[in-house]
């Protein structure tokens, strides 16, 4: 028996922790992971995966209308929320089981308990005693944040509760303007719920390109989502018929459900970080270096708990880089530049690289290529859905700095665009690529004229 019980102890069995733990175990190291909920973490259990299933379910109402335009007779289809939840939960259980199987096959031990650090090498497991480890990896992710500073805040639900609602509300207010709020607003609206999205800022999807933000908001309104900007809650009052949302901007909105999606916070509560000497940064996340090492030499952290880029694939790559560095003798870091992202709004968004505003700030003069159009599928039946494709190009070097797509399959499209941008593709190289016709994506390689806003000098 060595000096410690384990070579590696991982706190948190989400995507990043599981990848790191499995790879470390495959190297021959003695590894254990502690998870206080279910193996799979936020993404698999209460995030990306169940949310995508909900997006799929909510899209069928619009697809039914499109089908009529293509000659199909209308059917009296109805949606069974409880049956959907049962099917969703079965699939989540299956996926969680795959994570457990993969860890077990690699030789890693799974401990179902909340873990906290007693010191730099000791982990206390609630109800199960304490263990020691040579190396410790923290991968606890994040948790939804909700306010408590106004009357009635106790009536709020978050995205985590939204996955398990006993019944579908008739009216819902979603507070927030980020991707989670926007996605759930589309989900509820698609499922036939009277949906209002309230955001305190001037436009939704802060951090995305301004043209993308405006376009998505306009298209969401076409699908029935009421968007109220520059407003936030003063109070929530429970009534005999629902909840009365009193807004600081004036005007009351009565709904059956109030969901807040106003951000997530790194999950560091109760981890015993102070006892081990692990430092937090100003944002309350665990501070790490490029190798994901914390302020303590034998403790690392990956994923949302570090608040770098809060995406599942990033956590996986950070976890893999940690394992390569510490258990395979192959010093590896993950490059956080040019990481593509998707918003599964309706319509969806795919983006990689800089927005126009960011590019102008960092690079000065840029060339913009912008196209707004109705996709082929929509024009056939006379629909009014419009897509947006935008390229942001450095004027001097002609390197493409940003690619933004809003429309059907944009998350699929942006994956391949990200490969090119990561390699430093230039606009002439991009244009040399032959289009695939007829597709939405062909617009990416057929834009030749620089965009000049109306009223601006050429």
């Amino acid at each position: 028996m060595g000096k410690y019980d384990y070579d590696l102890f991982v706190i948190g069995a989400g995507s990043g922790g599981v990848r790191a733990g499995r790879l470390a175990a495959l190297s021959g190291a003695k590894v254990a992971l502690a998870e206080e909920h279910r193996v799979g973490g936020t993404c698999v259990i209460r995030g990306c995966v169940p949310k995508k299933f909900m997006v799929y379910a909510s899209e069928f109402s619009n697809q039914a209308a499109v089908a009529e335009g293509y000659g199909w007779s209308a059917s009296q289809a109805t949606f069974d929320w409880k049956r959907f939840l049962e099917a969703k939960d079965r699939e989540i259980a299956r996926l969680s089981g795959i994570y457990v199987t993969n860890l077990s096959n690699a030789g890693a031990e799974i401990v179902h308990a909340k873990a906290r650090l007693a010191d730099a090498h000791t982990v206390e497991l609630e109800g199960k005693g304490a263990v020691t480890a040579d190396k410790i990896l923290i991968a606890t992710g994040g948790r939804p944040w909700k306010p408590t500073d106004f009357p009635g805040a106790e009536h709020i639900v978050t995205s985590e509760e939204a996955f398990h609602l006993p019944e579908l509300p008739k009216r819902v207010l979603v507070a927030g303007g980020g991707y989670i709020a926007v996605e759930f607003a589309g989900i509820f609206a698609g499922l036939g719920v009277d949906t209002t999205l309230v955001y305190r800022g001037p436009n939704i999807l802060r951090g995305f390109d301004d043209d993308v933000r405006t376009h998505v908001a306009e298209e969401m309104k076409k699908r029935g989502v009421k968007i109220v900007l520059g407003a936030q809650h003063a109070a929530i009052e429970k009534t005999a018929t629902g909840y009365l949302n009193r807004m600081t901007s004036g005007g009351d909105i009565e709904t059956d459900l109030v969901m807040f999606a106003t951000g997530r916070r790194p999950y560091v509560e109760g981890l015993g970080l102070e006892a081990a000497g692990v430092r937090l940064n100003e944002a309350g996340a665990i501070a790490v270096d490029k190798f994901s090492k914390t302020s303590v030499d034998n403790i690392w952290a990956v994923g949302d708990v570090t608040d770098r880029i809060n995406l599942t694939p990033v956590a996986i790559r950070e976890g893999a880089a940690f394992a390569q560095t510490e258990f395979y003798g192959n010093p590896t870091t993950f490059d956080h530049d040019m990481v593509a992202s998707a918003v599964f709004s309706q319509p969806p968004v795919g983006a990689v690289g800089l927005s126009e505003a960011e590019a102008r700030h960092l690079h000065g003069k840029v060339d913009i290529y912008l196209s707004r159009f109705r996709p082929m599928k929509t024009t056939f039946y006379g629909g009014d859905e419009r897509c947006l494709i935008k390229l942001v190009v450095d004027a001097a070097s002609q390197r493409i700095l940003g690619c933004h797509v809003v429309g059907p399959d944009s998350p699929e499209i942006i994956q391949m665009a990200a490969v090119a941008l990561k390699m430093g593709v230039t606009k002439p190289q991009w244009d040399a690529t032959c289009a695939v016709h007829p597709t939405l994506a062909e617009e990416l390689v057929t834009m030749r004229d620089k965009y000049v806003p109306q009223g601006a000098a050429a």
Side-chain angles (χ1 to χ4, degrees):
M1 181 67 67
K3 182 179 179 181
Y4 301 104
D5 297 323
Y6 297 98
D7 299 309
L8 172 66
F9 197 95
V10 182
I11 303 177
S15 298
V18 167
R19 178 59 60 88
R22 186 171 67 85
L23 290 178
L26 288 171
S27 76
K30 187 176 182 182
V31 177
L33 298 88
E35 173 56 53
E36 61 182 285
H37 297 297
R38 295 172 67 186
V39 174
T42 294
C43 181
V44 173
I45 307 301
R46 52 190 176 274
C48 331
V49 173
K51 177 189 65 185
K52 189 73 179 290
F53 290 143
M54 294 177 80
V55 170
Y56 285 143
S58 66
E59 288 175 333
F60 282 106
S61 58
N62 183 62
Q63 291 171 4
V66 172
E68 290 191 41
Y70 276 85
W72 289 87
S73 298
S75 63
Q76 298 299 316
T78 58
F79 177 68
D80 188 328
W81 172 249
K82 291 184 178 179
R83 188 155 64 92
F84 166 76
L85 288 185
E86 290 171 359
K88 181 262 295 180
D89 289 343
R90 283 196 301 271
E91 179 61 9
I92 297 306
R94 185 185 73 85
L95 294 173
S96 178
I98 291 174
Y99 273 61
V100 171
T101 299
N102 288 343
L103 283 170
S104 298
N105 289 344
E109 178 184 343
I110 302 170
V111 182
H112 294 282
K114 181 174 177 59
R116 64 176 297 278
L117 298 172
D119 57 44
H121 288 281
T122 306
V123 181
E124 293 180 348
L125 301 168
E126 188 172 2
K128 298 179 183 294
V131 297
T132 59
D134 181 22
K135 295 177 171 65
I136 295 172
L137 176 67
I138 302 171
T140 49
R143 293 291 184 272
W145 175 86
K146 60 181 180 180
T148 57
D149 58 352
F150 61 79
E154 67 273 12
H155 301 306
I156 292 168
V157 302
T158 69
S159 59
E160 293 192 354
E161 293 82 38
F163 290 122
H164 304 283
L165 296 174
E167 59 184 28
L168 199 61
K170 292 182 171 61
R171 304 163 299 172
V172 65
L173 182 148
V174 180
Y179 71 95
I180 297 175
V182 168
E183 289 169 342
F184 269 97
I187 288 168
F188 283 123
L191 295 177
V193 179
D194 182 353
T195 304
T196 302
L197 179 68
V198 174
Y199 180 51
R200 65 181 182 179
N203 205 352
I204 60 174
L205 293 178
R206 182 170 63 90
F208 284 81
D209 185 89
D210 287 339
D211 285 315
V212 168
R213 301 170 71 189
T214 299
H215 189 90
V216 172
E218 291 172 350
E219 294 298 314
M220 288 179 67
K221 291 175 184 176
K222 292 178 184 178
R223 298 201 181 196
V225 178
K226 296 183 285 290
I227 299 178
V228 181
L229 300 172
Q232 55 186 324
H233 278 80
I236 300 174
E237 297 178 10
K238 185 171 176 54
T239 68
T241 55
Y243 296 99
L244 192 63
N245 297 270
R246 296 196 180 277
M247 313 308 296
T248 56
S249 55
D252 299 337
I253 305 169
E254 188 173 41
T255 61
D256 304 306
L257 182 72
V258 185
M259 175 183 160
F260 264 61
T262 47
R264 296 176 63 85
R265 300 290 187 270
Y267 184 42
V268 296
E269 290 79 14
L271 285 180
L273 299 180
E274 290 184 4
V278 176
R279 186 175 63 83
L280 301 180
N281 61 23
E282 294 179 356
I286 296 179
V288 293
D289 65 13
K290 66 180 182 178
F291 289 98
S292 296
K293 182 178 285 190
T294 71
S295 53
V296 180
D297 279 345
N298 70 296
I299 300 178
W300 291 257
V302 297
D304 292 8
V305 75
T306 67
D307 197 27
R308 287 175 284 183
I309 297 179
N310 296 335
L311 296 172
T312 296
V314 172
I316 291 171
R317 294 291 294 272
E318 289 171 353
F322 157 77
Q324 286 292 327
T325 300
E326 296 302 320
F327 293 93
Y328 290 87
N330 178 27
T332 304
T333 61
F334 174 66
D335 182 5
H336 292 81
D337 185 41
M338 284 295 180
V339 173
S341 62
V343 182
F344 294 99
S345 48
Q346 298 181 45
V349 177
V352 61
L354 302 178
S355 68
E356 179 179 346
E358 291 169 335
R360 290 190 186 281
H361 175 71
L362 294 173
H363 294 265
K365 188 175 180 181
V366 296
D367 296 332
I368 302 298
Y369 297 85
L370 179 66
S371 177
R372 295 185 180 91
F373 57 95
R374 287 193 304 164
M376 180 180 178
K377 184 177 182 179
T378 300
T379 59
F380 181 84
Y381 67 92
D384 62 355
E385 178 183 1
R386 296 181 68 81
C387 299
L388 177 144
I389 288 181
K390 182 174 183 178
L391 296 177
V392 181
V393 181
D394 179 64
S397 67
Q398 286 297 289
R399 180 185 176 189
I400 300 179
L401 303 174
C403 178
H404 310 272
V405 184
V406 184
D409 300 317
S410 58
E412 306 291 343
I413 293 169
I414 209 66
Q415 178 67 82
M416 298 313 298
V419 176
L421 266 67
K422 186 74 173 179
M423 296 177 69
V425 67
T426 65
K427 186 63 163 60
Q429 291 170 329
W430 188 273
D431 292 343
T433 304
C434 186
V436 179
H437 180 77
T439 65
L440 183 153
E442 70 181 292
E443 286 285 328
L444 282 169
V445 296
T446 57
M447 293 188 291
R448 298 292 187 268
D449 298 325
K450 297 175 188 176
Y451 173 69
V452 179
Q454 290 184 350

